[in-house]
Amino acid sequence: MDLAYTEEEEAFRARLRDWLAGVLPKLPPKPDPLDWPARRAYDCGWQRALYEAGYAEVHWDASPTRRLIFLEETERAGAPYVGANFVGLLHAGPTIAAEGTAEQRERWLPPVLRGDEVWCQGFSEPEAGSDLASLRTRAVRDGDAYVVTGSKIWTSHAEVADWCELLVRTDAGAASKHRGITWLAMPMDAPGITVRPLRTLAGSTEFAEMFLDEVRVPVENRVGEENDGWRVTMVTLSFERGTAFVGEVVACRRVLGQLAHEARKNGRWDDPAVRRRLGRLSAEFRALWRLTQWNVSEAEATGGVPGTGGSVFKLHYSHARQELYDAAAAVLGPDALDLGREWNLDRLSSLSYTIAAGTSQIQRNIVAERILGLPKGR
């Protein structure tokens, strides 16, 4: 395993760096974070710029190492993150690329790369908690369509999405709750869909609850076989835990540098305990980046789909992120109560990271069973 970059990869970095230096000063101001139609337009405009410059496919078709370089350079330059395109680029797109038919890849992938279509995620359900396999939204086959009835919650970007990656139960009598599930691509303009935005603790509205009343989804929109959706879902979650948070590690390393600068300005740097805390966090995020490189190298060797090492990353990263913003509150002192100060809303948002994309308990179970080979609990 070689974690060093090749000459070709460094040449890619140089070209990208030059392009970013030319295009970023021309970007319009970022919209109000609560104005999701404006945010969609801004995020899709950035994606279109990447597409026209030949960088849009870096999430799927380029090597994972190039993707790391892309994330390093875009974060270093202060470029926009994926935003409203998060689900399409990092969840649904990679899943369709890996599991979809040739027709499905041709239909759905180019619009995501061009920034023409936005996806949302319809996985979580009320009362199912983190036990995704306990979903109850059902789909009944009626000719050439599935008729879907039920509800979803924490549906990311539903307010502005064109498509939803949707999990439904197609066999209520299956021997196991992990069987009888199917992965569908649902058009968000289909009759019978009601979306109600949710406001989070941090004031953001990227989530929504979604109600489905006999929504007809064409059978041709099924990705994978009927009742084989749990296996397809594991591919989606592998990308979610293995690579979707990688860009945020780069951002956390930048925030840590800003935090040290702020501590020097307000005098808290004189406290040895603060310096030790920031130093330990620096080591944590350096280790996480090395773990990221390790996982990417493993994925390249096994065809591009991240393995269970993504659960190790997700478990460690979600806790390190919370510790980072706790340290930010210590550096800010009384200003930590002012929600208008930088990092305070990020601190509130960080509380969700030990739940999102599978709780820490779920990740520990995966590590115990699939990496350490321990027996399953009852």
Side-chain angles (χ1 to χ4, degrees), residues 150-232:
S151 64
K152 298 286 178 176
I153 197 166
W154 310 122
T155 307
S156 309
H157 307 314
E159 189 178 356
V160 292
D162 303 290
W163 293 92
C164 176
E165 54 173 10
L166 185 73
L167 292 186
V168 295
R169 186 162 296 286
T170 40
D171 183 1
S176 163
K177 65 181 181 181
H178 296 91
R179 299 177 183 174
I181 293 173
T182 299
W183 200 108
L184 298 177
M186 180 178 72
M188 290 297 287
D189 60 353
I193 300 175
T194 302
V195 173
R196 296 176 183 169
L198 296 169
R199 188 176 295 275
T200 70
L201 178 67
S204 61
T205 54
E206 69 266 31
F207 298 119
E209 55 184 347
M210 185 168 64
F211 301 92
L212 309 169
D213 182 12
E214 297 188 346
V215 180
R216 294 185 70 85
V217 179
V219 171
E220 64 186 20
N221 287 17
R222 186 187 69 220
V223 175
E225 298 298 321
E226 185 173 293
N227 299 326
D228 191 32
W230 186 254
R231 186 191 60 78
V232 180

Side-chain angles (χ1 to χ4, degrees), residues 69 128 198 232 234 244 251 275 277 318 330 352 368:
I69 294 172
L198 296 169
V232 180
M234 291 301 101
R275 294 200 302 272
R277 191 172 187 178
S318 57
S352 68

Side-chain angles (χ1 to χ4, degrees), residues 330-374:
V331 168
L332 290 176
D335 286 349
L337 299 178
D338 180 0
L339 293 180
R341 283 298 307 266
E342 189 178 12
W343 305 320
N344 281 336
L345 291 178
D346 288 329
R347 185 189 183 202
L348 294 176
S349 176
S350 75
L351 299 176
S352 68
Y353 275 72
T354 46
I355 300 174
T359 65
S360 292
Q361 289 85 351
I362 294 289
Q363 307 309 325
R364 289 191 181 96
N365 280 342
I366 292 173
V367 171
E369 295 168 6
R370 302 183 195 174
I371 296 179
L372 301 179
L374 299 178

Side-chain angles (χ1 to χ4, degrees), residues 286-357:
R286 286 170 63 89
L288 269 170
W289 190 249
R290 283 299 185 186
L291 178 59
T292 296
Q293 290 177 305
W294 176 284
N295 286 337
V296 164
S297 181
E298 288 283 290
E300 282 191 324
T302 57
V305 178
T308 52
S311 289
V312 179
F313 170 84
K314 169 63 177 53
L315 177 63
H316 198 68
Y317 167 68
S318 57
H319 288 275
R321 184 182 176 94
Q322 289 184 358
E323 290 178 11
L324 170 65
Y325 286 105
D326 283 348
V331 168
L332 290 176
D335 286 349
L337 299 178
D338 180 0
L339 293 180
R341 283 298 307 266
E342 189 178 12
W343 305 320
N344 281 336
L345 291 178
D346 288 329
R347 185 189 183 202
L348 294 176
S349 176
S350 75
L351 299 176
S352 68
Y353 275 72
T354 46
I355 300 174

Side-chain angles (χ1 to χ4, degrees), residues 29-61:
K30 291 183 179 178
D32 183 329
L34 295 183
D35 185 347
W36 273 98
R39 289 184 64 179
R40 170 185 165 131
Y42 182 88
D43 295 338
C44 289
W46 173 242
Q47 183 61 29
R48 170 62 70 122
L50 289 171
Y51 177 81
E52 292 176 348
Y55 293 112
E57 75 279 5
V58 72
H59 294 291
W60 306 337
D61 295 336

